[in-house]
């Protein structure tokens, strides 16, 4: 493999990412701009562009070698493993090595006065020259290291955020997948009850169920669904329950507002409606009342549903039905799918009615 290919692979590997990606040509641009800036700056200080060009041509390979040696060799092996004394020792040794290399190259290639900006002519390796040169190297290495660490931090933050987002999406899909089997379980129970009674309503229930299945199979795959589709699903579910309970159930529905452009997480309201039947109608002896209001205004949907609280004494003797997800599922899905300021869920009892009030941003 050619040398330039190996260098390109190394630079891409050490600085690439789907986010905040750093390619080899980014390194070239960075050092090229830095070299040009430094050459022009020192040419003004020395009042000698040619000398500044020579010294920077000598100094910049040393800057680059020391910077990459520190970032990609010393820090991973010693700083990230908390071997700070070894890191300090190796770093100082590398500075001294680079000092000797730079002094000799400058002396023989640029001029015998290796420190023109110094207080006196410097033709030997003095303490002042050594300290000044090493401080300059530390400055360059620190600047490059700060950029590298910042990019790494941004990349890691992006990776963590992406991982959290994927985990949330997975959890949301899991919660949505819980709703469908739970919903079908209760609906099939209704059909079972009708078949035991040999009711003529069973075919109608099966048709309604097929419509619900069609909606659930496709709606739950989407992050957001049209509010009108969700309302149609609720209406189908209520129609099924009306068939089952006949005249013992009174349902009042009131829907208003501009619904067409509104979006909502699929199957978010169904568990709230389902709870009214599961914990209200199915456990109540006598008349049962469910009151549902849905209104869209100023980009927010207000959904209130209430059911009669069953008589505890009478409901004790009724068989317990398996389930459920209900309110806990709705709460979790709201937490994962919406920002805190985009919804408000209130649950309370009032006038022998169990109430759930949800205000949700739908535009």
């Amino acid at each position: 493999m050619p040398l330039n290919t190996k260098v390109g692979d190394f630079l891409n590997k050490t600085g690439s990412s789907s986010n905040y990606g750093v390619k080899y040509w980014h390194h070239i641009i960075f050092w090229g701009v830095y070299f040009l800036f430094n050459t022009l700056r020192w040419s003004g200080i020395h009042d000698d562009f040619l000398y500044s060009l020579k010294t920077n041509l000598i100094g910049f390979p040393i800057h680059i070698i020391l910077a990459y040696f520190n970032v990609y060799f010393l820090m991973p092996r010693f700083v990230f493993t908390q071997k700070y004394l070894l890191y300090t020792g190796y770093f100082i040794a590398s500075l001294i090595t680079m000092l000797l290399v730079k002094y000799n190259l400058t002396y023989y290639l640029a001029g015998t006065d290796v420190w023109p900006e110094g207080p006196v002519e410097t033709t030997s390796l003095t303490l002042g020259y050594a300290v000044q040169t090493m401080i300059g190297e530390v400055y360059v290495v620190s600047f490059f290291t700060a950029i590298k660490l910042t990019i790494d931090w941004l990349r890691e933050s992006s990776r963590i955020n992406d991982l959290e987002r994927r985990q949330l999406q997975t959890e949301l899909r899991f919660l949505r997948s819980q709703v469908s089997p739970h919903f079908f379980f209760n609906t099939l129970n209704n059909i079972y009850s009708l078949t035991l009674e040999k009711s003529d309503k069973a075919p109608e229930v099966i048709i309604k169920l097929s419509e619900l299945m069609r909606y659930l199979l496709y709606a739950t795959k989407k992050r957001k669904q049209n509010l009108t589709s969700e309302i149609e699903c609720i209406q189908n579910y209520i129609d099924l329950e009306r068939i089952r309970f006949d005249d013992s159930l009174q349902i009042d529905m009131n829907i208003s507002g501009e619904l067409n452009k509104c979006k909502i997480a699929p199957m978010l309201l169904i568990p709230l409606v389902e709870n009214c039947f599961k914990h209200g109608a199915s456990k109540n002896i006598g008349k049962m009342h469910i009151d549902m209001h849905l209104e869209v205004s100023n980009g927010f949907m207000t959904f209130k549903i209430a059911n009669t609280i069953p008589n505890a004494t009478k409901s004790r003797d009724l068989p317990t039905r398996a389930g459920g997800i209900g309110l806990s599922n709705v709460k979790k899905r709201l937490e994962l799918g919406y920002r805190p300021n985009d919804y408000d869920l209130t649950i309370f009892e009032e006038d022998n009615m169990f109430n759930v009030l949800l205000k949700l941003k739908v535009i």
Side-chain angles (χ1 to χ4, degrees), residues 29 34 40 47 74 98 111-112 114 118 196 200 209 216-217 221 224 284 307 333 347 350:
I29 291 174
Y34 194 10
L40 295 175
D47 197 22
L74 293 182
M98 291 302 171
T112 55
V114 295
L196 286 180
D200 294 335
L209 180 60
L216 294 174
L217 285 173
K221 295 179 181 179
K224 292 288 180 69
N284 194 70
N307 64 272
R333 290 184 63 193
I347 302 167
E350 185 178 59

Side-chain angles (χ1 to χ4, degrees), residues 68-135:
Y68 284 102
F69 179 69
N70 177 68
V71 167
Y72 295 119
F73 182 81
L74 293 182
M75 291 186 67
R77 284 165 176 76
F78 302 112
V79 174
F80 299 156
T81 57
Q82 300 182 351
K83 299 175 182 177
Y84 302 119
L85 289 177
L86 281 173
Y87 170 78
T88 303
Y90 278 113
F91 185 67
I92 292 174
S94 64
L95 284 176
I96 294 172
T97 301
M98 291 302 171
L99 169 66
L100 295 174
V101 172
K102 185 175 183 179
Y103 168 76
N104 284 283
L105 290 176
T106 305
Y107 186 86
Y108 290 106
L109 298 178
T112 55
D113 185 4
V114 295
W115 194 19
E117 67 274 16
V120 295
E121 183 179 355
T122 304
T123 57
S124 60
L125 191 58
T126 64
L127 179 62
Y129 169 77
V131 171
Q132 190 70 21
T133 301
M134 285 195 289
I135 289 175

Side-chain angles (χ1 to χ4, degrees), residues 9-16 22 27 68 72 148 152 155:
D9 290 344
F10 167 75
L11 292 175
N12 280 329
K13 182 178 72 174
T14 55
S16 63
V22 179
H27 293 258
Y68 284 102
Y72 295 119
K148 177 64 168 60
D152 286 349
R155 185 183 297 120

Side-chain angles (χ1 to χ4, degrees), residues 173-274:
R173 283 195 295 268
F174 171 72
L175 289 170
R176 288 200 295 265
S177 69
Q178 277 186 309
V179 172
S180 301
H182 180 265
F183 179 80
F184 284 125
F185 174 78
N186 287 341
T187 307
L188 288 171
N189 272 349
N190 294 345
I191 296 175
Y192 177 71
S193 300
L194 291 173
T195 55
L196 286 180
E197 299 169 3
K198 298 182 179 179
S199 172
D200 294 335
K201 298 176 181 177
E204 183 182 349
V205 173
I206 293 173
I207 292 174
K208 289 285 184 181
L209 180 60
S210 68
E211 293 176 359
L212 287 172
M213 288 178 67
R214 187 178 298 108
Y215 174 77
L216 294 174
L217 285 173
Y218 296 104
T220 53
K221 295 179 181 179
K222 300 178 181 179
R223 181 176 174 269
K224 292 288 180 69
Q225 180 63 276
N226 292 330
L227 180 58
T228 52
S229 299
E230 186 78 2
I231 293 172
E232 288 175 7
C233 181
I234 291 172
Q235 184 64 62
N236 281 333
Y237 179 78
I238 290 175
D239 288 344
L240 289 173
E241 295 291 1
R242 284 184 191 274
I243 294 171
R244 179 183 170 207
F245 287 97
D246 292 323
D247 296 334
S248 63
L249 178 64
Q250 178 186 347
I251 302 176
D252 292 328
M253 293 181 61
N254 184 15
I255 299 174
S256 61
E258 294 292 330
L259 310 178
N260 294 331
K261 296 181 180 180
C262 299
K263 297 283 187 178
I264 189 173
M267 299 298 294
L268 183 65
L269 302 180
I270 280 287
L272 302 179
V273 178
E274 195 176 11

Side-chain angles (χ1 to χ4, degrees), residues 330-349:
V330 173
K331 290 177 182 177
K332 191 65 175 177
R333 290 184 63 193
L334 287 170
E335 290 172 5
L336 296 177
Y338 292 88
R339 294 177 297 181
N341 293 333
D342 288 347
Y343 73 92
D344 181 57
L345 179 65
T346 307
I347 302 167
F348 60 97
E349 292 182 11

